[in-house]
Amino acid sequence: MEQMKERFSKLLLGEDMSGGGKGVPSALALSNAVTNLAASVFGEQVKLGPMAPETKARWRKEMDWLLSVTDHIVEFVPSQQKTKNGTNMEIMVTRQRSDLLVNIPGLRKLDTMLIETLDGFGQEKEFWYVSKDDDQENENGQRDDKWWHPTVKVPVNGLSEMSRRWLQCQKESVNQVLKAAMAINAEVLSEIEIPESYIDSLPRNGRASLGDLIYKGITVDHFDPSQFLLTMDLSTEHKVLDLKNRIEASIVIWKRKMHQKDGRSSWGSGVSLEKRELFEERAETILILLKQRYPGLPQSSLDISKLQDNRDVGHAILESYSRILESLAFNVMSRIEDVLHADSLAQTSSPQKSETSPSSSDEDALRVSSSDTPTLSDFMGWGIASRRRSSTDLEIYFKGDNDKKLAKPPVSSTQKKSPNLEKLESLSGNRSPKGRD
């Protein structure tokens, strides 16, 4: 009770403990509360394994407190009431707002699936972790970009086929949770109004926002989104985020020009409506691919601006809850990939590898585990290779490979579904997140 009093006191004060009325709006305070709770609970989750019972109980309890606010966000809906004399009359009754009624139970199920996935690693014996100080070899599967994580250890000959397949199945299940959380988050963000302060900060046209190089890549006659991304320098998180910010700003500019929402001359048309609509669709495509390829990116300038100016408490809770589940799913999937990476190195260096037939089932499972699971770009018919091209490729691209067509990816074979994946499909049958047009 004392903890609950403290939490809701901070929310009512808008995080201004002086009581001077200089706190943040309720929506932002709730969003920050959800984000901070997730950081304190999952911030130390650098290993695959069950959460401590007290940590799990705290997560459930405090999330229930914060989500209880949504029970009182209602809307009026028509209903039938029978009077004493037997006649039916239509009255208006209250129920939980429709977006919360649909998405909160869905997010709770995704939350439960992730916790159950972590619990499933409690009896795992085929891989383990050692600290950096205890790792004398320093070469058993640790990737350079994750140097701060404990080192994954696997048996000398690698994981068994059963364990490898089970890990791959868990990775696919978590990947589906990640996609669902991303879809809900994108839908909620699209419904939050763009602040005027963000619009005022934009340049006059999309070309000024993108820069000549990116603008030229989007406005070529024969546009290939995968080829475009290969020509961009996406070597660091900062560069990827900068490209995302530029793309989002250009989309806002082009949409405002198409809808003629602003009568100022600075927003005047310099390109035909059809071409501007085409460029906006291409930019949206690039944005979707960026989000799919880099799910762990920090929030963009547009997202931050929206959340800081948002006054809708329901949107704030949905956005923050889906965002932290997206982050947790991405981290769990990364931990699984660390184990599979360590296994692939062990398989490569194993002395038994030479005795194994190239067509063995172990090798087939290894190939599956080392490849990425199908992404949104695969289903949409876009293929993005992991390699990156140099700046000279950009010049070749602009000169034009006019006969180059976007190849449709082969249909992936049906894989055995895990119980969690079946749960997700059952959930999707009840609620399907709408795509952003």
Side-chain angles (χ1 to χ4, degrees), residues 198 202 206 208-211 213-215 217-219 223 228-229 232 234 239-255 279-291 300 302 436:
Y198 178 82
L202 296 177
S209 171
L210 294 171
L213 202 62
I214 302 175
Y215 180 81
I218 291 178
T219 58
F223 177 69
F228 172 84
L229 285 181
M232 294 292 103
L234 305 177
K239 292 178 179 179
V240 178
L241 186 60
D242 179 66
L243 177 61
K244 184 180 178 182
N245 286 332
R246 290 173 180 270
I247 294 289
E248 285 184 336
S250 67
I251 290 173
V252 173
I253 293 171
W254 284 329
K255 280 186 174 179
F279 298 160
E280 187 269 332
E281 288 176 357
R282 290 177 175 181
E284 287 275 11
T285 300
I286 295 170
L287 194 60
I288 290 174
L289 295 181
L290 279 177
K291 290 179 179 179
S300 65
L302 177 58
R436 295 174 62 187

Side-chain angles (χ1 to χ4, degrees), residues 374-412:
T375 63
L376 180 61
S377 59
D378 296 324
F379 299 132
M380 294 294 288
W382 300 317
I384 301 181
S386 58
R387 61 188 178 88
R388 298 185 178 91
R389 299 192 178 183
S390 64
S391 58
T392 56
D393 292 331
L394 188 58
E395 300 172 3
I396 299 173
Y397 172 49
F398 290 150
K399 290 177 182 177
D401 293 328
N402 294 342
D403 57 343
K404 183 179 290 185
K405 304 273 186 186
L406 190 60
K408 190 173 183 179
V411 179
S412 59

Side-chain angles (χ1 to χ4, degrees), residues 30 85 92 128 218 265 275 343 396:
L30 268 168
N85 58 11
M92 300 298 287
W128 60 97
I218 291 178
S265 60
K275 283 192 174 182
D343 174 58
I396 299 173

Side-chain angles (χ1 to χ4, degrees), residues 179-401:
K179 290 179 181 179
M182 289 176 65
I184 295 175
N185 187 262
E187 181 183 0
V188 174
L189 282 171
S190 68
E191 293 174 356
I192 300 177
E193 188 176 351
I194 301 174
E196 286 296 326
S197 58
Y198 178 82
I199 295 173
D200 292 339
S201 68
L202 296 177
R204 294 190 176 189
N205 53 61
R207 183 165 193 156
S209 171
L210 294 171
D212 291 339
L213 202 62
I214 302 175
Y215 180 81
K216 191 175 180 181
I218 291 178
T219 58
V220 293
D221 292 336
H222 299 275
F223 177 69
D224 183 337
S226 60
Q227 178 73 20
F228 172 84
L229 285 181
L230 289 172
T231 59
M232 294 292 103
D233 181 7
L234 305 177
S235 55
T236 65
E237 183 181 86
H238 174 75
K239 292 178 179 179
V240 178
L241 186 60
D242 179 66
L243 177 61
K244 184 180 178 182
N245 286 332
R246 290 173 180 270
I247 294 289
E248 285 184 336
S250 67
I251 290 173
V252 173
I253 293 171
W254 284 329
K255 280 186 174 179
R256 287 181 65 84
K257 286 186 176 182
M258 285 189 292
H259 293 88
Q260 298 292 316
K261 289 185 177 180
D262 198 322
R264 293 177 298 176
S265 60
S266 60
W267 294 93
S269 176
V271 182
S272 67
L273 182 63
E274 293 77 12
K275 283 192 174 182
R276 183 173 289 114
E277 185 175 0
L278 175 63
F279 298 160
E280 187 269 332
E281 288 176 357
R282 290 177 175 181
E284 287 275 11
T285 300
I286 295 170
L287 194 60
I288 290 174
L289 295 181
L290 279 177
K291 290 179 179 179
Q292 194 69 23
R293 186 172 175 181
Y294 303 97
L297 274 181
Q299 290 177 308
S300 65
S301 300
L302 177 58
D303 294 344
I304 293 173
S305 181
K306 281 185 173 184
L307 296 179
Q308 288 179 343
D309 198 70
N310 174 50
R311 296 296 183 269
D312 190 308
V313 173
H315 284 159
I317 293 178
L318 286 177
E319 191 283 328
S320 57
Y321 196 12
S322 60
R323 172 164 40 85
I324 61 103
L325 290 180
E326 177 185 333
S327 177
L328 177 59
F330 176 73
N331 289 336
V332 172
M333 198 163 69
S334 297
R335 301 295 87 77
I336 296 175
E337 288 173 348
D338 289 342
V339 178
L340 294 173
H341 179 71
D343 174 58
S344 67
L345 294 181
Q347 288 284 313
T348 303
S349 59
S350 172
Q352 295 184 5
K353 186 176 185 300
S354 58
E355 304 173 6
T356 306
S357 171
S359 60
S360 66
S361 58
D362 280 359
E363 208 166 279
D364 293 338
L366 178 58
R367 280 200 297 271
V368 172
S369 67
S370 61
S371 63
D372 291 332
T373 55
T375 63
L376 180 61
S377 59
D378 296 324
F379 299 132
M380 294 294 288
W382 300 317
I384 301 181
S386 58
R387 61 188 178 88
R388 298 185 178 91
R389 299 192 178 183
S390 64
S391 58
T392 56
D393 292 331
L394 188 58
E395 300 172 3
I396 299 173
Y397 172 49
F398 290 150
K399 290 177 182 177
D401 293 328

Side-chain angles (χ1 to χ4, degrees), residues 15 19 24 59 70 72 92 95 101 117 132 139 165-166 169 226 229 240 270 272 299 316 329 333 357 404 426:
E15 301 175 353
V24 299
W59 169 250
T70 62
H72 305 279
M92 300 298 287
R95 73 172 185 190
L101 187 64
T117 299
K132 293 294 182 184
E139 59 181 6
R165 290 184 182 276
W166 180 79
C169 189
S226 60
L229 285 181
V240 178
S272 67
Q299 290 177 308
M333 198 163 69
S357 171
K404 183 179 290 185
S426 174

